[in-house]
Amino acid sequence: MEILQIVTIGIVSTVLVVLLRQWDRPEFAIIVSIVTGIFIISMLLDKLKYIIDTLSQLIRYTNMESAYFTIVLKIIGIAYIVEFGAEISRDAGEEAIASKVELGGKIIIMVLAMPILLALIDLIIKILP
Amino acid sequence: MKLISFVKHWLQDIIMIFIIITLIEILLPNSNMRKYINMVVGFLIILVLISPFLKLLNQNYNIDDLISEIHIETSDYNLEDESELLSTQDEQIKELYINRFKSELEKLIYETSNYKVDYINIYINEEKFEELQQLEILVSEKEKEEDETKDSIVTVEIKDVSIKDINNEMDLHKEFLEWDAVELKKIIYQNFDIPKENIKIFLNSSKVGELDGKFGE
């Protein structure tokens, strides 16, 4: 039934935003879209936690270090947050700000990816005779 | 046999990692962030594919390999180890802080009053050690230089006694609210900036050597 709630919230807020734009109130339209986004994400958080816990259990079956996996999960989280911010900026017609937000996300993802890259290089150096 | 188990583990790892990555792909946002995440996931796949060969090669190492291996092992970056190290470091710092504080307090009381400290009990805020939650001090009168015999009984006259809690062992260690205690609290407050209501001072009125060193908590 949660999917019905989410879809209903989405449709209602879409109608609201369209009406607000028609009444020449774009600032309220942006606020409504931000609040809707946060609300829907917060509804999904505990479900997401369940999925992440299951993935962590799967990781324990492998001989892989869980630190690397944690990095991947962090990167996914960052991608979601960045996307959320950038989309809102785009809705408001601020393409420049949206691209800056995305740039920040990309750079932070690269920084997080460095340990994995270093581990890989380490392995390759070890294996080569 | 060894080879079979080796291959089995390797295959298991590969299968599991691909299942996990498929699940992760579902979770991905469909934006231009996707290629960056795919890069990292690719690194992970390569790691999983390569790592068993390392074990295989390590079974017939020579001395040079061993030296380089030790070198790399020590420089291996392990997040869990680091956090463990940090927590033990924190505990050590806390212990050091408490011991330093105790010794300073003992010295201060010994020098500024005619009492000496028998026992100190400190309750510390877990997050910030600077915040002492409560300080309990057990003092006894300084023995005079001339009657420093072991069997002597120290008699202390208490003018005004208030017993806060009858249930615990306060019959031995009474919080004495006479002039001396107020004075001691003032000294501690001036030197260590601990609020006076958090300081409790008890007078050890038992015989010398009879101290059990415990407070009722």
Side-chain angles (χ1 to χ4, degrees):
Chain A
M1 283 299 109
E2 264 157 342
I3 186 66
L4 281 181
Q5 284 176 10
I6 290 166
V7 171
T8 314
I9 289 167
I11 291 171
V12 168
S13 55
T14 309
V15 170
L16 251 178
V17 167
V18 169
L19 285 177
L20 284 168
R21 288 237 166 85
Q22 274 187 343
W23 296 335
D24 218 14
R25 285 286 170 83
E27 66 272 20
F28 288 114
I30 289 166
I31 290 169
V32 168
S33 72
I34 290 172
V35 169
T36 308
I38 291 170
F39 195 74
I40 290 174
I41 285 174
S42 66
M43 278 173 80
L44 293 172
L45 272 182
D46 50 347
K47 301 272 183 297
L48 198 64
K49 188 178 180 298
Y50 171 67
I51 292 171
I52 299 292
D53 285 346
T54 314
L55 283 177
S56 308
Q57 266 180 345
L58 283 179
I59 278 291
R60 278 185 220 123
Y61 290 123
T62 66
N63 298 324
M64 213 176 78
E65 276 195 54
S66 58
Y68 300 139
F69 179 68
T70 317
I71 290 170
V72 173
L73 285 183
K74 271 185 188 169
I75 287 171
I76 291 169
I78 287 168
Y80 266 108
I81 293 165
V82 164
E83 201 194 14
F84 179 69
E87 288 293 318
I88 283 170
S89 302
R90 266 200 200 96
D91 276 354
E94 296 295 331
E95 191 65 40
I97 294 174
S99 68
K100 296 298 173 295
V101 170
E102 278 180 347
L103 174 73
K106 284 171 190 171
I107 286 171
I108 289 170
I109 286 173
M110 290 302 286
V111 167
L112 282 177
M114 284 302 133
I116 297 180
L117 182 66
L118 285 175
L120 189 63
I121 302 279
D122 226 29
L123 261 179
I124 290 168
I125 287 171
K126 270 191 202 174
I127 284 170
L128 290 178
Chain B
M1 273 289 108
K2 255 189 179 174
L3 188 73
I4 289 171
S5 75
F6 164 79
V7 170
K8 193 184 103 181
H9 277 290
W10 192 33
L11 279 176
Q12 215 177 23
D13 267 12
I14 291 171
I15 291 164
M16 287 306 287
I17 197 81
F18 274 99
I19 290 170
I20 289 161
I21 282 164
T22 315
L23 289 174
I24 284 175
E25 286 273 325
I26 293 167
L27 283 177
L28 289 188
N30 42 4
S31 67
N32 44 10
M33 292 279 147
R34 217 184 167 93
K35 56 187 176 199
Y36 296 89
I37 299 169
N38 280 341
M39 177 196 75
V40 176
V41 165
F43 284 156
L44 272 185
I45 293 171
I46 296 169
L47 264 178
V48 170
L49 289 180
I50 286 179
S51 55
F53 288 108
L54 193 71
K55 288 173 195 162
L56 206 65
L57 288 174
N58 278 355
Q59 280 169 2
N60 43 11
Y61 52 80
N62 52 21
I63 298 294
D64 290 355
D65 269 355
L66 190 68
I67 291 165
S68 65
E69 195 186 297
I70 289 164
H71 174 70
I72 290 168
E73 259 178 10
T74 49
S75 65
D76 217 3
Y77 186 70
N78 195 333
L79 289 171
E80 281 172 29
D81 280 1
E82 192 163 283
S83 66
E84 224 170 90
L85 191 76
L86 279 176
S87 68
T88 52
Q89 215 174 24
D90 269 354
E91 271 169 36
Q92 281 172 345
I93 290 169
K94 198 167 143 182
E95 214 172 301
L96 196 73
Y97 175 80
I98 290 175
N99 287 338
R100 280 277 298 279
F101 178 79
K102 278 183 179 175
S103 63
E104 273 181 39
L105 192 66
E106 275 179 35
K107 203 171 137 203
L108 178 83
I109 289 179
Y110 196 84
E111 284 170 357
T112 53
S113 70
N114 49 3
Y115 289 97
K116 67 174 174 39
V117 175
D118 284 345
Y119 187 78
I120 300 174
N121 217 354
I122 299 176
Y123 300 101
I124 268 184
N125 192 340
E126 283 301 322
E127 276 76 40
K128 291 191 287 189
F129 323 145
E130 292 79 32
E131 276 186 30
L132 287 167
Q133 281 175 335
Q134 205 176 8
L135 181 68
E136 291 178 345
I137 308 167
L138 181 67
V139 295
S140 60
E141 279 201 340
K142 264 192 228 174
E143 291 170 49
K144 301 278 187 301
E145 294 291 327
E146 52 266 22
D147 57 55
E148 252 193 87
T149 48
K150 287 282 175 207
D151 309 333
S152 70
I153 295 171
V154 182
T155 52
V156 178
E157 285 181 21
I158 303 167
K159 293 168 196 165
D160 186 10
V161 174
S162 81
I163 300 173
K164 282 194 138 186
D165 199 343
I166 300 165
N167 292 338
N168 54 25
E169 303 166 278
M170 285 308 138
D171 52 339
L172 276 185
H173 321 293
K174 299 181 175 82
E175 187 172 9
F176 58 120
L177 291 169
E178 55 185 337
W179 181 85
D180 282 332
V182 176
E183 200 62 24
L184 279 178
K185 282 183 189 181
K186 204 163 136 187
I187 291 164
I188 294 168
Y189 171 71
Q190 279 165 354
N191 283 279
F192 296 108
D193 201 26
I194 302 164
K196 287 178 190 173
E197 58 267 18
N198 291 359
I199 306 170
K200 283 187 177 169
I201 299 178
F202 304 101
L203 184 64
N204 186 7
S205 54
S206 60
K207 274 186 269 179
V208 177
E210 209 184 334
L211 174 67
D212 54 355
K214 276 193 292 188
F215 286 103
E217 284 178 23

